[in-house]
Coordinates of all heavy atoms in Angstrom, one line a residue:
N96 N -10.1 12.3 5.7 CA -9.6 13.5 5.0 C -8.2 13.3 4.6 O -7.4 12.8 5.5 CB -9.7 14.6 6.0 CG -9.4 16.0 5.5 OD1 -8.5 16.1 4.7 ND2 -10.2 17.0 5.8
W97 N -7.8 13.5 3.4 CA -6.4 13.2 2.9 C -5.4 13.9 3.8 O -4.3 13.4 4.0 CB -6.3 13.6 1.4 CG -6.2 15.0 1.1 CD1 -7.3 15.8 0.9 CD2 -5.1 15.9 1.1 NE1 -6.9 17.1 0.7 CE2 -5.5 17.2 0.8 CE3 -3.7 15.6 1.3 CZ2 -4.6 18.2 0.7 CZ3 -2.8 16.7 1.2 CH2 -3.3 18.0 0.9
A98 N -5.7 15.1 4.3 CA -4.7 15.9 5.0 C -4.4 15.2 6.4 O -3.4 15.5 7.0 CB -5.2 17.3 5.2
D99 N -5.3 14.3 6.8 CA -5.0 13.7 8.1 C -3.7 12.9 8.1 O -3.0 12.7 9.1 CB -6.1 12.7 8.5 CG -7.4 13.4 9.0 OD1 -7.3 14.7 9.1 OD2 -8.4 12.8 9.2
Y100 N -3.3 12.3 6.9 CA -2.1 11.6 6.8 C -0.9 12.5 7.0 O 0.1 12.2 7.7 CB -2.0 10.9 5.5 CG -3.0 9.8 5.3 CD1 -4.2 10.1 4.6 CD2 -2.8 8.5 5.7 CE1 -5.2 9.1 4.5 CE2 -3.8 7.5 5.6 CZ -5.0 7.9 5.0 OH -6.0 6.9 4.8
V101 N -1.0 13.7 6.5 CA 0.1 14.7 6.7 C 0.1 15.2 8.1 O 1.2 15.3 8.7 CB -0.2 16.0 5.7 CG1 0.9 17.0 5.9 CG2 -0.3 15.5 4.3
K102 N -1.1 15.4 8.7 CA -1.1 15.8 10.1 C -0.5 14.7 11.0 O 0.3 15.0 11.9 CB -2.6 16.1 10.5 CG -3.2 17.3 9.9 CD -4.6 17.4 10.4 CE -5.3 18.7 9.8 NZ -6.7 18.7 10.2
G103 N -0.9 13.5 10.7 CA -0.4 12.4 11.5 C 1.1 12.3 11.5 O 1.8 12.1 12.5
V104 N 1.7 12.4 10.3 CA 3.2 12.4 10.1 C 3.8 13.5 10.9 O 4.8 13.4 11.6 CB 3.5 12.3 8.6 CG1 5.0 12.6 8.5 CG2 3.1 11.0 8.0
S105 N 3.2 14.7 10.8 CA 3.8 15.9 11.4 C 3.8 15.7 12.9 O 4.8 16.0 13.6 CB 2.9 17.1 11.1 OG 2.8 17.3 9.7
L106 N 2.7 15.2 13.4 CA 2.6 14.9 14.9 C 3.6 13.9 15.3 O 4.3 14.1 16.4 CB 1.2 14.4 15.2 CG 0.9 14.0 16.6 CD1 0.9 15.3 17.5 CD2 -0.5 13.4 16.8
K107 N 3.8 12.9 14.6 CA 4.8 11.8 14.9 C 6.3 12.4 14.9 O 7.1 12.1 15.7 CB 4.7 10.6 14.0 CG 3.4 9.8 14.3 CD 3.4 9.2 15.7 CE 2.0 8.8 16.1 NZ 1.9 8.3 17.4
I108 N 6.5 13.3 13.9 CA 7.8 13.9 13.8 C 8.0 14.8 15.1 O 9.1 14.8 15.7 CB 8.0 14.7 12.5 CG1 8.1 13.7 11.4 CG2 9.2 15.7 12.5 CD1 8.3 14.2 10.0
K109 N 7.0 15.6 15.4 CA 7.1 16.4 16.6 C 7.4 15.6 17.8 O 8.2 15.9 18.7 CB 5.8 17.2 16.8 CG 5.8 18.6 16.4 CD 4.4 19.2 16.5 CE 3.9 19.3 18.0 NZ 2.6 19.9 18.1
E110 N 6.6 14.5 18.0 CA 6.8 13.6 19.1 C 8.1 13.0 19.2 O 8.6 12.6 20.3 CB 5.7 12.5 19.1 CG 4.3 13.0 19.5 CD 3.2 11.9 19.4 OE1 3.5 10.8 19.0 OE2 2.1 12.3 19.6
S111 N 8.8 12.9 18.0 CA 10.1 12.3 18.0 C 11.2 13.3 18.5 O 12.4 13.0 18.6 CB 10.5 11.8 16.6 OG 10.9 12.9 15.8
G112 N 10.7 14.5 18.9 CA 11.6 15.5 19.4 C 12.3 16.4 18.4 O 13.1 17.2 18.7
R113 N 11.9 16.2 17.1 CA 12.6 17.0 16.1 C 11.9 18.4 15.9 O 10.7 18.5 16.1 CB 12.6 16.2 14.8 CG 13.5 15.0 14.9 CD 13.9 14.6 13.5 NE 14.9 13.6 13.6 CZ 14.7 12.4 14.0 NH1 13.6 12.0 14.5 NH2 15.7 11.5 14.1
D114 N 12.7 19.3 15.3 CA 12.1 20.6 15.0 C 11.3 20.5 13.8 O 11.7 19.8 12.8 CB 13.2 21.6 14.7 CG 14.0 22.0 15.9 OD1 13.4 21.9 17.0 OD2 15.1 22.5 15.8
M115 N 10.2 21.2 13.8 CA 9.5 21.5 12.5 C 8.7 22.7 12.7 O 8.3 23.1 13.8 CB 8.7 20.3 12.0 CG 7.5 20.0 12.7 SD 6.4 18.8 11.8 CE 5.7 19.8 10.5
N116 N 8.4 23.4 11.6 CA 7.7 24.6 11.6 C 6.7 24.7 10.5 O 6.4 23.6 9.9 CB 8.7 25.8 11.6 CG 8.4 26.7 12.7 OD1 7.3 27.1 13.0 ND2 9.5 27.1 13.4
G117 N 6.2 25.8 10.2 CA 5.2 25.9 9.2 C 5.8 25.7 7.8 O 7.0 25.9 7.6
F118 N 5.0 25.2 6.9 CA 5.4 25.0 5.5 C 4.2 25.0 4.6 O 3.1 24.7 5.1 CB 6.3 23.8 5.3 CG 5.6 22.4 5.5 CD1 5.0 21.7 4.5 CD2 5.4 21.9 6.8 CE1 4.3 20.5 4.7 CE2 4.8 20.7 7.0 CZ 4.2 20.0 6.0
W119 N 4.4 25.2 3.3 CA 3.3 25.1 2.4 C 3.7 24.0 1.4 O 4.8 23.9 1.0 CB 3.2 26.5 1.6 CG 2.7 27.6 2.5 CD1 2.4 27.5 3.8 CD2 2.5 28.9 2.1 NE1 2.0 28.7 4.3 CE2 2.1 29.6 3.3 CE3 2.7 29.7 0.9 CZ2 1.8 31.0 3.3 CZ3 2.4 31.0 0.9 CH2 1.9 31.7 2.1
A120 N 2.7 23.2 1.1 CA 3.0 22.1 0.2 C 1.9 21.8 -0.7 O 0.7 21.9 -0.4 CB 3.2 20.8 1.1
L121 N 2.3 21.4 -1.9 CA 1.3 21.0 -3.0 C 1.6 19.6 -3.4 O 2.7 19.2 -3.7 CB 1.5 21.9 -4.2 CG 0.6 21.6 -5.4 CD1 -0.8 21.7 -5.1 CD2 1.0 22.5 -6.6
Y122 N 0.5 18.8 -3.3 CA 0.6 17.3 -3.7 C -0.1 17.0 -5.0 O -1.1 17.7 -5.3 CB 0.0 16.5 -2.6 CG 0.7 16.5 -1.3 CD1 0.5 17.5 -0.3 CD2 1.5 15.4 -0.9 CE1 1.1 17.5 0.9 CE2 2.1 15.4 0.3 CZ 1.9 16.5 1.2 OH 2.6 16.4 2.4
R123 N 0.5 16.1 -5.7 CA -0.2 15.6 -6.9 C 0.0 14.1 -6.9 O 1.2 13.6 -6.8 CB 0.4 16.2 -8.1 CG -0.2 15.8 -9.4 CD 0.3 16.7 -10.5 NE -0.5 16.5 -11.7 CZ -0.3 15.4 -12.5 NH1 0.6 14.5 -12.3 NH2 -1.1 15.3 -13.6
S124 N -1.0 13.3 -7.2 CA -0.9 11.9 -7.1 C -1.3 11.3 -8.5 O -2.3 11.6 -9.0 CB -1.8 11.3 -6.1 OG -1.8 9.9 -6.1
D125 N -0.4 10.4 -9.0 CA -1.0 9.6 -10.1 C -1.3 8.2 -9.7 O -1.6 7.3 -10.5 CB -0.2 9.7 -11.5 CG 1.2 9.6 -11.4 OD1 1.8 8.7 -10.8 OD2 1.8 10.6 -12.0
I126 N -1.2 7.9 -8.4 CA -1.7 6.6 -7.8 C -3.2 6.8 -7.6 O -3.6 7.7 -6.9 CB -1.0 6.3 -6.5 CG1 0.5 6.5 -6.5 CG2 -1.4 4.9 -6.0 CD1 1.1 6.5 -5.2
P127 N -4.0 6.0 -8.3 CA -5.5 6.1 -8.0 C -5.8 5.9 -6.5 O -5.2 5.0 -5.9 CB -6.1 5.0 -8.9 CG -5.0 4.2 -9.5 CD -3.7 4.9 -9.2
I128 N -6.6 6.8 -6.0 CA -6.9 6.7 -4.6 C -8.0 5.7 -4.3 O -9.0 5.5 -5.0 CB -7.3 8.1 -4.1 CG1 -6.1 9.0 -4.2 CG2 -7.9 8.1 -2.6 CD1 -6.3 10.4 -4.1
G129 N -7.8 4.9 -3.2 CA -8.8 3.9 -2.9 C -8.8 2.6 -3.7 O -9.6 1.8 -3.8
A130 N -7.7 2.5 -4.5 CA -7.5 1.4 -5.5 C -6.7 0.3 -4.9 O -6.4 -0.7 -5.6 CB -6.9 1.9 -6.8
G131 N -6.3 0.4 -3.6 CA -5.5 -0.7 -3.0 C -4.1 -0.7 -3.4 O -3.4 -1.7 -3.4
L132 N -3.6 0.5 -3.9 CA -2.3 0.6 -4.4 C -1.4 1.4 -3.5 O -0.3 1.9 -3.9 CB -2.2 1.2 -5.8 CG -3.1 0.3 -6.8 CD1 -3.1 1.0 -8.2 CD2 -2.5 -1.1 -7.0
S133 N -1.9 1.6 -2.3 CA -1.2 2.2 -1.2 C -0.8 3.7 -1.4 O 0.3 4.1 -1.2 CB 0.1 1.4 -1.0 OG 0.8 1.8 0.1
S134 N -1.8 4.5 -1.9 CA -1.6 5.9 -2.0 C -1.3 6.5 -0.6 O -0.6 7.5 -0.5 CB -2.7 6.6 -2.7 OG -3.9 6.3 -2.0

Side-chain angles (χ1 to χ4, degrees):
N96 187 317
W97 71 271
D99 285 355
Y100 295 93
V101 180
K102 290 179 177 176
V104 167
S105 304
L106 181 65
K107 292 294 163 184
I108 289 183
K109 256 177 62 181
E110 284 175 4
S111 77
R113 291 202 169 71
D114 284 338
M115 72 168 280
N116 232 313
F118 66 95
W119 293 358
L121 174 65
Y122 291 82
R123 181 174 192 280
S124 172
D125 40 54
I126 310 170
I128 292 165
L132 301 175
S133 188
S134 57

